[in-house]
Amino acid sequence: MLLALDDARSTAVLAGRGTDAEIFGVIDLSSKTETRIGAISLGRAIQFVANASVLGYDVRGAVVLYGEPGTPSLRVWDCEHLWAQYGGALVQPAHAHINLPG
């Protein structure tokens, strides 16, 4: 079961989708090694983690770090929920107009 993010946090993540992010805890299944993914936008990081299993990565232990120190990190279930809710809007430029639910 996916854990729902509160609306305020979802809105903040969507607004900050262009923020720099890093992904830790990704295992490349072909080489069985941990792969650190940095210098990626938050939206692309969420997209990657949500779809990584079909790309040959194990992200069960993945953590997406972004924003100022103290900003809550995102786990795989957060990324799956955000990608299911917002999809391609997460990878659109921050100045694009997005209709939020509600």
Side-chain angles (χ1 to χ4, degrees):
M1 180 174 133
L2 298 178
L3 299 177
L5 296 177
D6 63 63
D7 287 341
R9 185 167 175 206
S10 293
T11 301
V13 167
L14 187 61
R17 64 190 176 274
T19 303
D20 289 338
E22 293 181 276
I23 309 170
F24 296 90
V26 174
I27 305 297
D28 182 334
L29 294 174
S30 63
S31 66
K32 307 287 189 229
T33 59
E34 183 172 354
T35 303
R36 181 173 161 247
I37 301 171
I40 188 172
S41 72
L42 177 57
R44 294 271 180 214
I46 292 167
Q47 178 188 30
F48 175 83
V49 172
N51 296 297
S53 63
V54 298
L55 301 172
Y57 295 96
D58 178 352
V59 292
R60 289 177 288 177
V63 177
V64 177
L65 300 178
Y66 68 99
E68 298 296 320
T71 301
S73 60
L74 299 174
R75 301 300 301 242
V76 67
W77 55 85
D78 300 319
C79 294
E80 289 171 345
H81 171 77
L82 287 162
W83 188 251
Q85 186 173 5
Y86 297 111
L90 288 164
V91 295
Q92 291 180 359
H95 63 274
H97 178 71
I98 310 268
N99 291 323
L100 297 175

